[in-house]
Amino acid sequence: MRLIRNVMGISNIILILLLLVAAIFGATLSYMWTMGGYISLGLQLPEAPFITITNVTFYPPKPVFFNVTLLNPSLSPSGALVTNIKVFTEDGDLHEITQTFPVLNELSIGESQNIACSWDWKDYTGENAWFCAFIANGSGAAFQQKIPLVDLTITEAVFDSAISITNFNLTIQNSASSVTDVNITEILVNLELAQNVIPSLPYTLQPNTSVKFSNYLNWTKHQGKEVEIKVDTSQGYVVYHTQTVPQPVDLAITNVLSNTTDTTRFNVTVQNNASSPTHVDVTGVTVTVNETTYETELNITLPHVLQPNSTVTLECSWDWTIHQGMTVMIAVYTKQGFKIPYVYTFPAS
């Protein structure tokens, strides 16, 4: 058995050596065949210089440049002056690279050079592109390369007037297919910047993870309308999301009643109309006189739930004796952030 194993081991080694020899011989033969082709043609090498693109690389954390490696092959008859580099994208646009480092110059025969090209490619992540290099008095080169994928999405935007009209929640996901993390820096609704974002910004979002943000922004004016949400990152990647905000909550003070026989209180009737999409929680009533605002005490437990298509009359304890005959601003507040103003003149004695 040992002899058989030894024979098998020697056979495997011989087989590997034969394969290596065959590979080297094949490569040599291929080179000689190629050169022989030129020789058989009477050394008819290319008359004009030509170049090739051997590689295109990206740095996803900074999607504002890429690197292209150019080669002037040894078979090229002379130096090749590189004049410009362009990128052709799937949308049919041709992008001319106007800034490179080093500046485009002549490649001598057999020279390879790596060139950094300034181009903002963040809007083309995950797409195929064709990278073209042009030279003077010769043949340029083209190279197809897929641009790295950075896939950000807004998976959920919650505007809930039953909770708050000064806050909304936003969930953002960085796909498992993304090649880099991103730093979220801003959240905007119709170009209005959200404030007091929790968790705080900037926030690093790794691939294959998501995060839910709580955002302060009074979206009352957007009720019933379509808004555009925009999320910015420090790397330059941007994600957009459009959504229709819930219909307006229709609240109104329908009546204020006071009587000079008792100037220590007055009544306010508040209505949540049938068209409202949600209930509200009444939290208080104030009176503003000459820019001074006073809190009142109410006869009910707060917050008071006021359903759509319902009303409530609030008895407000506040001494208005010295304000008889004066016009004031009465306002009802809710937990959700609504403020319902009402101009009222107290009766004179």
Side-chain angles (χ1 to χ4, degrees), residues 46-51 76-83 106 134-140:
E47 296 181 358
F50 66 95
I51 62 170
S76 183
S78 65
L81 177 61
V82 182
T83 57
E106 183 173 310
F134 300 86
I135 64 175
N137 301 320
S139 299

Side-chain angles (χ1 to χ4, degrees), residues 283-305:
T283 56
V285 178
T286 63
V287 181
T288 301
V289 185
N290 296 331
E291 299 184 356
T292 300
T293 300
Y294 304 90
E295 298 280 346
T296 70
E297 294 184 6
L298 304 183
N299 64 327
I300 59 175
T301 301
L302 299 177
H304 175 80
V305 178

Side-chain angles (χ1 to χ4, degrees), residues 210-338:
S210 63
V211 59
K212 178 185 285 187
F213 289 106
S214 173
N215 309 273
Y216 176 81
L217 185 137
N218 192 324
W219 48 271
T220 310
K221 62 185 178 183
H222 302 306
Q223 292 180 103
K225 301 176 182 178
E226 186 178 80
V227 296
E228 181 183 70
I229 303 169
K230 178 186 177 187
V231 176
D232 288 327
T233 68
S234 62
Q235 291 80 9
Y237 301 105
V238 180
V239 57
Y240 294 92
H241 177 80
T242 57
Q243 181 162 324
T244 300
V245 176
Q247 292 296 318
V249 173
D250 190 4
L251 297 172
I253 295 175
T254 58
N255 190 35
V256 174
L257 181 63
S258 61
N259 195 312
T260 55
T261 60
D262 185 357
T263 58
T264 63
R265 65 189 66 247
F266 62 92
N267 291 339
V268 177
T269 300
V270 186
Q271 181 180 52
N272 189 3
N273 288 318
S275 61
S276 291
T278 182
H279 71 276
V280 295
D281 301 291
V282 177
T283 56
V285 178
T286 63
V287 181
T288 301
V289 185
N290 296 331
E291 299 184 356
T292 300
T293 300
Y294 304 90
E295 298 280 346
T296 70
E297 294 184 6
L298 304 183
N299 64 327
I300 59 175
T301 301
L302 299 177
H304 175 80
V305 178
L306 184 60
Q307 298 290 350
N309 197 30
S310 63
T311 62
V312 63
T313 297
L314 308 171
E315 184 179 285
C316 308
S317 296
W318 185 71
D319 193 340
W320 51 275
T321 303
I322 62 174
H323 303 296
Q324 295 180 68
M326 295 183 62
T327 299
V328 300
M329 175 70 74
I330 297 173
V332 175
Y333 295 83
T334 74
K335 179 181 178 180
Q336 292 76 13
F338 294 103

